[in-house]
């Protein structure tokens, strides 16, 4: 290129000699990273969903097919679900589980909200020490306190009742911690402005703090529902009347009365897990938002 052509190329970029770049030998690393990530997620999804699939398939197989570990039902036996519902009295057990779970969820939301508000917005002596003691209760396994709780329930005269099923679980340190973190994210300016408008603590809690912490409260409700619904040991201990027992105890009894009919037991397990699946599908966004809200506050 002559001197005049070089000057022209400098002024007009289109006339400059194009830079020769080496062609990529394959997809960029970012594409391979996405492929690997999705492959890993698919493997994890299969691992998580496979037990659920096996449970559903076994509920539709006959005994011989279950013994042969068939993975696909060629002639589904749908009557197992009606057998599980009628023979296992799952309607009564599901109703009891709903009542117990509703009492626990509502109780935990109320007590955790009040406790979290106190630790987030109020000032009182030994506040930090009391909060640490509050959190220390999370380290105590339920099995350690089960005898004390059972004795208390018997002394209160609420053995073999819905109150006996629910009262020991109406307060939770985890819920108070979770909601406190959400309340710490509420700007203090809002509290000051509410005070100038004449808001008391209960009014500020109901009108400002609770609406702002709604995703976290939804997450707490889902956690409380899952934990309560899956309880087995406490409902077994605190109830003697079969009409008050919950679905997890009912599944065990269904298993004992149908030793030769595994498919009926599997059908009962599927029916028992349907409310949990619906709950997770409806509130999965609130669950994620609630767990991440206020996570960096402390």
């Amino acid at each position: 290129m002559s001197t005049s052509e070089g000057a022209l190329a400098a002024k007009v970029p289109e006339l400059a000699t194009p830079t020769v770049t080496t062609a990529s030998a394959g997809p960029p690393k970012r594409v391979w990273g996405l492929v690997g990530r999705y492959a890993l997620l698919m493997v994890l999804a299969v691992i998580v969903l496979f037990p659920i699939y096996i449970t559903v398939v076994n509920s539709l197989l006959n005994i011989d097919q279950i013994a042969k570990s068939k993975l696909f039902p060629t002639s589904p036996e749908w009557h197992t679900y009606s057998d599980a519902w009628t023979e296992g009295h799952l309607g009564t057990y599901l109703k009891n589980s709903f009542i117990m779970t509703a009492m626990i969820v509502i109780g935990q939301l109320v007590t955790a909200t009040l406790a979290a508000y106190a630790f987030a917005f109020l000032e009182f002596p030994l506040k930090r020490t009391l909060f640490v003691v509050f959190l220390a209760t999370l380290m105590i396994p339920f099995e350690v306190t089960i005898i004390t709780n059972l004795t208390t329930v018997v002394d209160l005269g609420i053995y073999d009742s819905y109150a006996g099923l629910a009262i020991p679980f109406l307060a939770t340190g985890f819920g108070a911690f979770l909601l406190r973190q959400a309340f710490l994210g509420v700007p203090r300016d809002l509290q000051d402005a509410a005070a100038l408008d004449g808001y008391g603590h209960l009014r500020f809690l109901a009108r400002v703090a609770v609406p702002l912490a709604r995703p976290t409260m939804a997450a707490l409700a889902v956690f409380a529902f899952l934990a309560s619904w899956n309880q087995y040991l406490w409902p077994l201990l605190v109830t003697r009347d079969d009409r008050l027992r919950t679905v997890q105890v009912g599944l065990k009894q269904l298993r004992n009365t149908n030793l030769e009919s595994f498919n009926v037991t599997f059908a009962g397990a599927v029916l028992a897990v349907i409310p949990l699946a619906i709950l997770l599908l409806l509130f999965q966004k609130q669950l994620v938002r609630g767990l991440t809200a206020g996570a960096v506050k402390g």
Side-chain angles (χ1 to χ4, degrees):
M1 182 181 293
S2 65
T3 305
S4 59
E5 290 175 342
L8 182 61
K11 293 181 179 179
V12 185
E14 288 77 5
L15 297 179
T17 304
T19 303
V20 179
T21 57
T22 305
S24 176
K29 290 182 179 179
R30 188 171 61 87
V31 175
W32 285 114
L34 286 175
V35 171
R37 192 177 304 170
Y38 280 107
L40 178 61
L41 290 175
M42 291 177 65
V43 171
L44 293 176
V46 170
I47 294 174
V48 171
L49 295 177
F50 187 72
I52 300 175
Y53 173 76
I54 288 297
T55 303
V56 175
V57 168
N58 284 342
S59 70
L60 299 174
L61 298 175
N62 58 41
I63 303 302
D64 293 334
Q65 291 172 328
I66 293 177
K68 294 177 182 177
S69 301
K70 296 287 186 180
L71 294 179
F72 302 99
T74 54
S75 55
E77 301 198 358
W78 297 104
H79 66 85
T80 55
Y81 286 90
S82 59
D83 293 345
W85 186 268
T86 55
E87 296 176 10
H89 307 289
L90 288 186
T92 301
Y93 296 137
L94 286 170
K95 180 197 71 175
N96 295 334
S97 287
F98 271 116
I99 293 174
M100 179 192 73
T101 301
M103 294 173 67
I104 293 175
V105 170
I106 294 172
Q108 288 193 6
L109 285 176
V110 172
T111 58
T113 300
L114 295 176
Y117 183 87
F119 285 119
F121 293 107
L122 302 183
E123 295 297 334
F124 50 88
L126 301 176
K127 176 180 173 181
R128 288 186 175 276
T129 304
L130 289 175
F131 185 64
V132 171
V133 173
F134 215 79
L135 292 183
T137 60
L138 298 177
M139 307 301 172
I140 302 175
F142 170 70
E143 288 76 11
V144 175
T145 61
I146 195 168
I147 299 300
T148 304
N149 285 333
L150 184 59
T151 304
T152 304
V153 166
V154 173
D155 292 341
L156 291 176
I158 55 176
Y159 183 83
D160 221 7
S161 68
Y162 290 124
L165 285 168
I167 282 180
F169 304 96
L170 295 184
T172 166
F174 170 73
F177 170 76
L178 194 65
L179 286 179
R180 173 185 175 268
Q181 299 303 102
F183 286 159
L184 289 177
V186 177
R188 292 290 174 174
D189 294 341
L190 287 179
Q191 188 181 14
D192 297 336
L196 291 176
D197 288 341
Y199 278 40
H201 286 297
L202 288 179
R203 196 175 177 190
F204 175 73
L205 173 65
R207 296 288 186 87
V208 180
V210 167
L212 292 176
R214 193 173 299 163
T216 307
M217 297 186 70
L220 175 61
V222 173
F223 274 121
F225 190 99
L226 294 177
S228 304
W229 187 268
N230 289 324
Q231 281 195 35
Y232 172 75
L233 182 58
W234 180 252
L236 180 65
L237 288 175
V238 82
T239 56
R240 187 184 297 115
D241 191 342
D242 196 51
R243 293 172 297 179
L244 290 171
R245 293 197 154 173
T246 57
V247 68
Q248 304 301 336
V249 180
L251 287 178
K252 177 62 176 175
Q253 294 179 347
L254 180 64
R255 173 71 183 88
N256 292 336
T257 56
N258 292 275
L259 295 176
E260 303 297 330
S261 303
F262 294 106
N263 48 3
V264 176
T265 305
F266 280 115
V270 173
L271 292 174
V273 84
I274 287 176
L276 300 181
I278 295 175
L279 182 75
L280 290 177
L281 289 175
L282 292 179
F283 293 97
Q284 57 178 331
K285 290 184 179 178
Q286 287 81 355
L287 186 62
V288 175
R289 290 175 58 191
L291 291 177
T292 55
V296 297
K297 288 286 184 180

